[in-house]
Amino acid sequence: MGSWRSPLVLIAIAAMLFSTGGLFIKLSSLSAFALSCGRCSLAAVTVAFLTRREGLSLNRIVALAALLYAALLLLFVLATKLTTAANAIFLQYTAPVYILALEPILYGERFHLSDLAVVGGCLVGMALFFVGKLAPSDWNGNLAALASGFCYALFMLLLRHPRARLINSAAPVFYGNLLLAAVTAPALLDEASALSGREILIICYLGVVQLGVAYILFTRGIARGARSLDAGIIGYIEPVLNPLWVFIFLGERPSPWALLGGAIIIAAVGWHTLRRAKRMAA
C-alpha cells in the first residue's frame, strides 16, 4: 500500500479539505441552514456513489454514529449563529480532550503523557488564534459549541467500534447527511429563488468535495487503524488552514497572535504525526 494511503495521511488530506469550508461558506449568500441542506444532500449522494460497492448497511452503532454526525454539524451551525465564530470553532475543537479521557476506557488504549502534551499544546495554539475575540457571554451558543465538540468526539470514537468496521466505514456519514438535509430542507425551499449559478457551484464544491470526499477519507483513515485521538489531533489542521485560505483569496489578514498559534499547532501536530507514524510502522 502506498504511503499516501496510510491512515494518518488520509486524515490529514481530509482535514485540509475540511479547512476550505470557511472560504466557500463566506462566498455564499445563502443562510447557514439552506447551505447545510444543499451541501449535505450532495454529500450523501457522493458517499453513496463512491462507496456503492461496499453497500450502506445499517446497525445500531452506525445509526448512533449517524445521529452524532448530524448533531455535531447542526449544533455547530447553531453555535455560529448564537455566539462568535471564534467561540464556536475553539469550543468544538475541545473534542480531543474528551477522546483523551474516553479512548483508554472504551478501547483499552494506553494513556500517554505525550498525547496529553500535544492536546494541551494544540489548545494553547487555538487560544492564541482568538486573543481579544473570545467572549465569555452568549452562553447558549457556547453550550451548543461544547455539545458539538462532545458529539464530534463520540462520533470519532464510534467509528472505531468493531461493529462499525464490519460494514462501509462511510455509512454513518451518508445517513447523517441525509438526516440533516431532511431537517434543513424547509430553509433551502424558502431561499430557492436565490439559487444562482454561482451559489449552485459553491454548494456542489461544499457537498461533493469538502464534505463528501473529505469524510470518506476521514472514515477510511480511522477504519485502517488510526486512533480517534490521532484523528482529533490531526484535525487541528482545519482551524489553522481555514483563515489561511480566507486570507489568500479574500484578503482577511490573520493577527500576529493567530500566526503564532498556527505555528504552535503545526509543530505539535507534525511531531505527533511523525511519532505515531513510526509507532504504527513498527
Side-chain angles (χ1 to χ4, degrees):
M1 182 183 295
S3 60
W4 69 272
R5 295 179 67 187
S6 71
L8 301 183
V9 172
L10 292 177
I11 292 170
I13 295 172
M16 286 188 278
L17 292 176
F18 291 151
S19 73
T20 61
L23 171 64
F24 283 87
I25 289 171
K26 279 181 173 289
L27 290 172
S28 174
S29 61
L30 295 175
S31 70
F33 290 103
L35 198 58
S36 292
C37 178
R39 71 173 185 156
C40 287
S41 299
L42 287 177
V45 172
T46 301
V47 171
F49 177 75
L50 294 179
T51 67
R52 62 191 182 280
R53 293 182 179 178
E54 300 171 49
L56 291 166
S57 301
L58 190 65
N59 58 36
R60 290 181 182 179
I61 297 299
V62 170
L64 181 56
L67 286 172
L68 288 167
Y69 172 84
L72 76 90
L73 290 183
L74 186 59
L75 284 167
F76 183 72
V77 171
L78 290 172
T80 304
K81 293 177 76 68
L82 293 171
T83 186
T84 64
N87 282 30
I89 191 69
F90 178 78
L91 293 174
Q92 187 188 51
Y93 270 88
T94 56
V97 176
Y98 310 128
I99 295 172
L100 192 64
L102 293 173
E103 198 161 37
I105 298 171
L106 296 176
Y107 297 114
E109 295 282 355
R110 183 180 174 187
F111 180 83
H112 297 279
L113 286 176
S114 57
D115 290 335
L116 179 61
V118 170
V119 172
C122 288
L123 288 175
V124 169
M126 283 286 289
L128 291 176
F129 263 70
F130 308 117
V131 169
K133 297 180 182 179
L134 289 173
S137 57
D138 308 324
W139 286 106
N140 289 338
N142 292 343
L143 288 174
L146 279 171
S148 176
F150 188 63
C151 288
Y152 193 22
L154 293 178
F155 169 70
M156 286 188 278
L157 288 167
L158 281 181
L159 291 178
R160 287 194 63 194
H161 194 281
R163 292 188 64 190
R165 293 186 177 192
L166 290 174
I167 56 179
N168 185 349
S169 60
V173 177
F174 169 76
Y175 289 109
N177 276 305
L178 211 59
L179 175 61
L180 189 55
V183 170
T184 55
L188 184 60
L189 292 174
D190 287 343
E191 299 178 42
S193 59
L195 285 176
S196 62
R198 180 171 176 270
E199 292 291 349
I200 291 172
L201 287 175
I202 290 172
I203 291 174
C204 286
Y205 173 80
L206 289 172
V208 175
V209 180
Q210 193 262 337
L211 272 189
V213 172
Y215 264 109
I216 290 173
L217 295 174
F218 185 83
T219 55
R220 289 290 187 274
I222 294 180
R224 290 179 181 175
R227 298 180 304 166
S228 303
L229 184 61
D230 297 333
I233 290 173
I234 295 173
Y236 277 107
I237 292 173
E238 178 186 356
V240 171
L241 292 183
N242 194 310
L244 178 62
W245 304 132
V246 175
F247 167 65
I248 292 172
F249 293 102
L250 297 181
E252 290 186 11
R253 186 178 297 274
S255 70
W257 287 110
L259 294 175
L260 176 60
I264 291 172
I265 291 172
I266 290 171
V269 170
W271 177 78
H272 173 81
T273 303
L274 289 173
R275 184 174 60 88
R276 283 295 300 167
K278 290 179 180 178
R279 186 174 296 172
M280 290 175 72

